[in-house]
Amino acid sequence: MTLAARVEVRRGTLQLECELTANDGEVVAVVGPNGAGKTTLLRALAGLTPIDAGRIELDGKVVDDPAQRTFVVPEQRRVGVVFQDGQLFPHLSAVENVAFGPRSAGVSRREATARAETWLDRLGLAGKGGDRPSQLSGGQAQRVALARALASDPAMLLLDEPLTALDAATRVEVRRDLGRHLRAFPGVPILVTHDPVDALALADRIVVLEMGRVVQEGTADEIVARPRSPYVAELVGTNLYRGTATSGVVRTDGEGTITSATTASGPVCATVHPRAVALHTSRPEGTPRNVWPVRVTHVERLTDRVRVQLAGPLGIVAEVTLAAVDELGLREGAEVWAAVKATEVDVYEA
Amino acid sequence: MRRLWAVLGAVALLAACSRPEDAPAVRAADTLTGGLTVFAAASLADAFADAEAVIERDHRGLSITFNFAGSQVLVQQIAEGAPADVVATADTKTMDKLVAAGLVERPAVLARNTLVIAVEPGNPEGIAGLADLARPDLAVVLADPSVPVGAYAAAALDHAGVTVRPKSLELDVKAALAKVTAGEADAAIVYATDVTAAKGRAASVAIADADNQVVTYPIAVVRATAHKRAARELVTELARGRGRAALRAHGFLLP
Amino acid sequence: MRRRAVPLPAMALAAVAVAAFALPLVALAVRAPWSDAWRHLTTHEARQAFVLSMETSLLATAVAVVLGVPLAWVQARVDYPGRNFVRALTTLPMVLPPVVGGTALLLALGRRGIAGQYLDDVGVHLPFHVSGAVVAEAFVAMPFLVLTLEAAFRSVDTRLEDAARTLGASQWTVFRRVTLPLVRPSLVAGAVLCWARALGEFGATITFAGNLPGKTQTLPLFVYVRFEGADPAAAIVLSLAMMAVSLAVLLALRDRWLGLR
């Protein structure tokens, strides 16, 4: 089962133009900020929104091609969708929900119910079949939604923000189960999310969509190591600068310069991990090649460390220990010095 | 002194006789004034409208309000206390109810009417008399027997020995005629005056005198009226005065 | 749980409203000739009128459902030019005086009607027949169903329908198994309103279909003729009977079907 799609959709202010391919056994995550066009892309693949231009091919069969006037309706594509909020039918029980797909395909009620119960079992919901969606917890409902999509035997599985509606604890549990089922799925699973943790945990390949366009694509490791847009950098939690390098010295766009230990030249991206930023109350002596005065603009307490946002000739985010906050007197408006070793600056082609 | 009185008397007499054509309006006190409500059978509508115009012209202070409906409805309303000053029904039976209940003064005969068969102009179905109404291919409409004209029609048919299967028993005579003028029904038994009022949209076929029913329209003053004198005068005007010409023009027979 | 105090003026006005509704009905019950009631109820003509009314009102409701459901769906889901006009048009019978409606039907479907003249040729006769009464009742009562249902269709979450389609359901299956069940309370409420209106229809029925015992004399017509004729007692008894039936239906349906599961 393969997917080859070139999708162009114009909807109001959104202009979606992207290419997406996926193969059997590969979990693809489409990541991006809200309004990037992720849901539109998903709806286009499912056939709920026809594309304005381009071509979608599922397993070699063309399902949407405006130029050729080909359009296969959603009910004829073998695409299963797990919607945000599940979208379980409120007037049917859990097992009836899951049996919906097979019954729509003409399977007898008995057979369909049997299949549905098998799926509910697999997802750890044995005994919940008779419950109405309103009686299920968030996590249970989401699993029923997954079972329902899988029971219709799709060739491609699309998941739209499957974990967003869940609370933190349930999320962890469902994410684990989901990962297992996605890997076991014989077709192509495509996951859409704005949560980086979900993407990094579940996907083999990540496609970053911003303002309707693909800005970066690669494995989780590649993305993390080499973010190429502020959004991804934000996602990954690192400092990113774009600019031009001359023998390893990067003149960033609009801000100051940062020196790396490389000899790179030309248009580059430079990243500095927040933990690599050392803060001092006065100008430090010694080796760091990058030293500059900064002013604290924001202090954010995470579980066991603190992220400090700093403004200056070069804006940067530093990550320090709780103790450091007191030692350095880090609060909004404080004036300190930032130091980054050249070796900690990672530079790569933009 | 006696001469002064004679002169004054002559002057007064002259003044009284001075403009004979205006005499009624200059009469000492015109008692036919004010607002009067007349409840009348539906079939009197057109004739009374004309009579109203003439009478109100002669009595400037008078304003007549009419309530036209089936006689049964009018009786019902008056029995329930509706504010009528004068009532005129389309048969004596309904008026008798009011008399028996002591609700009206002694009725006078206003006019008479006869029944005719109303057909479409040109009589396309070639209806000649009551006997033809029994034809199975005809759509005949009658008024419900609870309505006076319906009762009369039933009596006439009975007397003529004709059995009719009506398509509908309408609730008042105007509705029955309307079905004929609209082309929905081929014939209906209505009053002669109704066909006259239809002004060419319907034609009439006479009913043999032997079978026909003479319909008497009584008119009476409602005892509960607050304007007894004016009401009595209006009854007189309608039955013996200006009303007669209007009634005759609309096809009624006058006593 | 602490009860919220209901403001006195609201209670007082509500009480007045209830009294306004109840008084005429109570008067009917009080003035009814109870000793004679059974006799009046079981005369041949009364039973005829009752059965006829039930037949025509139920048939009219059936017609309204068959035609009204698709109409409501289209009005709710399809955006086409003139949609507002169509909505106004289909609501018109609700505000039109019934006799006007009946007259209009006559001009359209009567023997000389613009469409009626052709109906005659194919053997369809509406005026003076039971079918005419059904048409008249459906005409005035259908808007109640359409209005209720259109609002309900609008409020159905289309994402549920999307989900059904991705599961392989055809448009008809989606409608049958997802959309329709979701609007069932409104469908039932609309149908009941429609039936009640059809049952009580008078002006349009008599103008279009006529008044003939056994064929077109529905209960309201029967009551009117008796009331204006020699038999007000029968009229009151039959009115009470109609009221009792309607009350029973409204009570029975209130909780179970109108969404309060």
Side-chain angles (χ1 to χ4, degrees):
Chain A
M1 175 56 216
T2 50
L3 166 73
R6 189 167 47 83
V7 172
E8 268 181 60
V9 177
R10 268 151 255 139
R11 189 123 303 162
T13 48
L14 171 71
Q15 201 131 320
L16 175 67
E17 216 180 286
C18 71
E19 271 189 45
L20 185 66
T21 54
N23 292 295
D24 247 350
E26 188 187 36
V27 179
V28 176
V30 176
V31 173
N34 288 328
K38 311 189 295 293
T39 304
T40 311
L41 174 61
L42 193 139
R43 287 180 65 92
L45 292 174
L48 296 169
T49 301
I51 58 179
D52 295 323
R55 200 172 139 107
I56 302 180
E57 235 180 77
L58 284 178
D59 233 6
K61 177 171 159 209
V62 177
V63 295
D64 198 345
D65 189 341
Q68 302 290 329
R69 294 184 191 279
T70 314
F71 183 77
V72 177
V73 289
E75 51 266 34
Q76 308 246 332
R77 301 188 194 191
R78 284 179 55 221
V79 177
V81 184
V82 180
F83 292 85
Q84 201 171 14
D85 303 335
Q87 298 298 331
L88 296 178
F89 305 126
H91 59 290
L92 298 177
S93 69
V95 74
E96 284 171 337
N97 261 282
V98 180
F100 193 91
R103 288 212 55 208
S104 299
V107 174
S108 76
R109 187 193 293 245
R110 212 147 58 130
E111 171 67 27
T113 311
R115 285 194 209 174
E117 274 166 6
T118 312
W119 273 109
L120 286 172
D121 263 348
R122 270 190 218 156
L123 286 165
L125 291 163
K128 287 280 172 189
D131 284 358
R132 285 280 159 99
S134 52
Q135 297 168 295
L136 300 169
S137 72
Q140 289 168 334
Q142 211 56 356
R143 286 201 215 132
V144 174
L146 181 61
R148 185 176 70 174
L150 289 170
S152 64
D153 196 23
M156 178 164 75
L157 187 66
L158 301 172
L159 302 105
D160 188 359
E161 309 269 8
L163 305 174
T164 308
L166 304 172
D167 64 77
T170 325
R171 223 177 189 162
V172 174
E173 198 189 315
V174 179
R175 187 187 297 134
R176 199 182 53 227
D177 287 338
L178 191 59
R180 216 181 41 213
H181 289 287
L182 289 182
R183 273 184 197 92
F185 180 60
V188 173
I190 300 184
L191 171 73
V192 157
T193 181
H194 70 270
D195 187 334
V197 182
D198 291 345
L200 295 170
L202 298 167
D204 299 317
R205 193 152 60 82
I206 300 180
V207 173
V208 183
L209 201 65
E210 260 186 272
M211 304 250 278
R213 285 185 168 62
V214 177
V215 297
Q216 196 167 359
E217 207 180 316
T219 64
D221 293 333
E222 282 166 14
I223 302 280
V224 171
R226 310 233 140 144
R228 284 199 159 85
S229 80
Y231 173 71
V232 185
E234 189 79 49
L235 217 62
V236 162
T238 192
N239 292 294
L240 173 71
Y241 307 99
R242 303 179 82 118
T244 325
T246 327
S247 307
V249 178
V250 181
R251 171 164 241 93
T252 67
D253 299 334
E255 301 200 52
T257 31
I258 193 160
T259 310
S260 71
T262 68
T263 51
S265 286
V268 292
C269 285
T271 58
V272 176
H273 199 284
R275 276 197 290 264
V277 181
L279 296 177
H280 307 267
T281 43
S282 57
R283 191 176 221 282
E285 307 290 337
T287 47
R289 298 278 293 283
N290 300 295
V291 175
W292 69 104
V294 287
R295 196 182 72 252
V296 176
T297 54
H298 188 65
V299 178
E300 187 187 345
R301 162 86 188 264
L302 302 175
T303 43
D304 57 348
R305 56 200 188 284
V306 180
R307 289 185 84 113
V308 187
Q309 228 170 311
L310 305 154
L314 193 70
I316 198 162
V317 175
E319 215 176 83
V320 297
T321 60
L322 294 170
V325 175
D326 290 329
E327 280 168 28
L328 300 166
L330 294 174
R331 49 181 189 291
E332 257 179 66
E335 309 257 346
V336 291
W337 285 82
V340 177
K341 295 195 191 140
T343 46
E344 296 281 5
V345 181
D346 195 10
V347 175
Y348 47 92
E349 230 172 67
Chain B
M1 220 32 211
R2 268 218 330 224
R3 263 220 307 201
L4 184 57
W5 280 114
V7 169
L8 283 172
V11 170
L13 211 58
L14 273 170
C17 304
S18 54
R19 291 176 304 171
E21 66 268 30
D22 280 345
V26 182
R27 206 182 293 147
D30 184 357
T31 45
L32 190 48
T33 54
L36 291 178
T37 306
V38 176
F39 277 24
S43 38
L44 292 164
D46 296 326
F48 270 11
D50 288 351
E52 177 192 7
V54 175
I55 296 174
E56 279 183 356
R57 211 178 54 219
D58 280 350
H59 300 268
R60 294 275 175 201
L62 176 66
S63 161
I64 309 175
T65 312
F66 285 102
N67 173 19
F68 294 111
S71 304
Q72 282 296 351
V73 177
L74 299 174
V75 166
Q76 197 82 35
Q77 291 173 337
I78 291 176
E80 298 286 344
D85 300 302
V86 172
V87 59
T89 59
D91 69 350
T92 44
K93 221 168 60 161
T94 34
M95 184 59 89
D96 286 343
K97 284 194 192 156
L98 289 174
V99 173
L103 293 168
V104 294
E105 297 187 350
R106 217 166 80 102
V109 172
L110 179 68
R112 295 206 164 83
N113 212 341
T114 51
L115 302 176
V116 296
I117 303 172
V119 295
E120 291 187 83
N123 196 357
E125 295 290 337
I127 296 169
L130 285 178
D132 285 332
L133 296 182
R135 271 166 43 189
D137 60 305
L138 288 182
V140 177
V141 155
L142 300 173
D144 192 85
S146 62
V147 176
V149 69
Y152 289 132
L157 287 166
D158 197 42
H159 194 273
V162 177
T163 312
V164 174
R165 296 185 107 85
K167 292 280 193 247
S168 180
L169 298 169
E170 296 297 325
L171 298 179
D172 69 67
V173 70
K174 296 270 184 229
L177 182 61
K179 286 263 166 22
V180 172
T181 54
E184 249 352 279
D186 299 309
I189 298 182
V190 301
Y191 292 123
T193 48
D194 293 315
V195 177
T196 312
K199 292 194 188 20
R201 282 175 300 129
S204 62
V205 172
I207 294 179
D209 278 345
D211 304 319
N212 211 332
Q213 309 282 313
V214 174
V215 182
T216 307
Y217 286 69
I219 185 170
V221 171
V222 178
R223 271 197 216 275
T225 176
H227 319 282
K228 207 150 275 191
R229 187 121 164 242
R232 285 183 190 148
E233 282 212 33
L234 184 57
V235 169
T236 311
E237 271 290 359
L238 288 170
R240 312 263 170 272
R242 294 271 197 242
R244 286 176 67 93
L247 287 164
R248 188 182 297 118
H250 284 271
F252 286 93
L253 302 171
L254 299 173
Chain C
M1 183 173 68
R2 212 160 54 101
R3 283 260 203 92
R4 251 182 64 184
V6 183
L8 200 55
M11 288 271 278
L13 286 171
V16 171
V18 172
F21 277 110
L23 196 59
L25 306 177
V26 167
L28 211 56
V30 164
R31 286 288 162 86
W34 289 102
S35 49
D36 265 344
W38 187 249
R39 184 171 64 81
H40 287 300
L41 276 175
T42 50
T43 60
H44 175 63
E45 293 208 315
R47 277 180 297 155
Q48 226 174 24
F50 188 85
V51 168
L52 191 68
S53 265
M54 286 300 144
E55 275 176 14
T56 54
S57 59
L58 288 172
L59 270 171
T61 308
V63 168
V65 167
V66 166
L67 292 180
V69 170
L71 176 62
W73 190 88
V74 168
Q75 288 293 102
R77 292 299 170 81
V78 181
D79 196 5
Y80 60 92
R83 182 166 68 163
N84 281 334
F85 179 73
V86 170
R87 186 176 301 121
L89 199 66
T90 51
T91 315
L92 203 56
M94 258 170 97
V95 300
L96 224 51
V99 175
V100 174
T103 310
L105 282 172
L106 213 53
L107 293 171
L109 301 168
R111 222 161 60 160
R112 300 279 163 80
I114 52 179
Q117 49 184 311
Y118 304 111
L119 288 178
D120 233 29
D121 297 334
V122 294
V124 174
H125 309 288
L126 292 175
F128 307 137
H129 286 87
V130 181
S131 45
V134 174
V135 167
E137 290 178 14
F139 183 74
V140 301
M142 193 158 94
F144 287 88
L145 180 76
V146 175
L147 231 58
T148 317
L149 216 44
E150 186 190 331
F153 277 134
R154 265 181 210 284
S155 69
V156 169
D157 195 343
T158 48
R159 288 181 302 174
L160 286 171
E161 296 178 345
D162 285 343
R165 292 186 73 194
T166 61
L167 291 167
S170 66
Q171 293 225 347
W172 171 240
T173 309
V174 173
F175 182 74
R176 191 172 51 91
R177 292 198 66 200
V178 179
T179 320
L180 217 49
L182 287 174
V183 298
R184 192 184 63 185
S186 290
L187 181 57
V188 173
V192 169
L193 273 177
C194 176
W195 170 79
R197 179 72 186 84
L199 188 67
E201 180 45 37
F202 178 92
T205 319
I206 194 172
T207 313
F208 182 59
N211 172 42
L212 197 64
K215 269 210 152 157
T216 51
Q217 188 177 68
T218 53
L219 217 44
L221 263 54
F222 176 89
V223 166
Y224 183 86
V225 169
R226 288 294 173 286
F227 199 66
E228 306 304 340
D231 208 353
I236 298 176
V237 172
L238 265 305
S239 302
L240 266 176
M242 260 181 82
M243 203 180 79
V245 170
S246 305
L247 208 59
V249 171
L250 286 169
L251 281 172
L253 285 179
R254 187 78 198 101
D255 278 353
R256 260 188 36 157
W257 293 82
L258 295 184
L260 305 172
R261 241 171 291 184

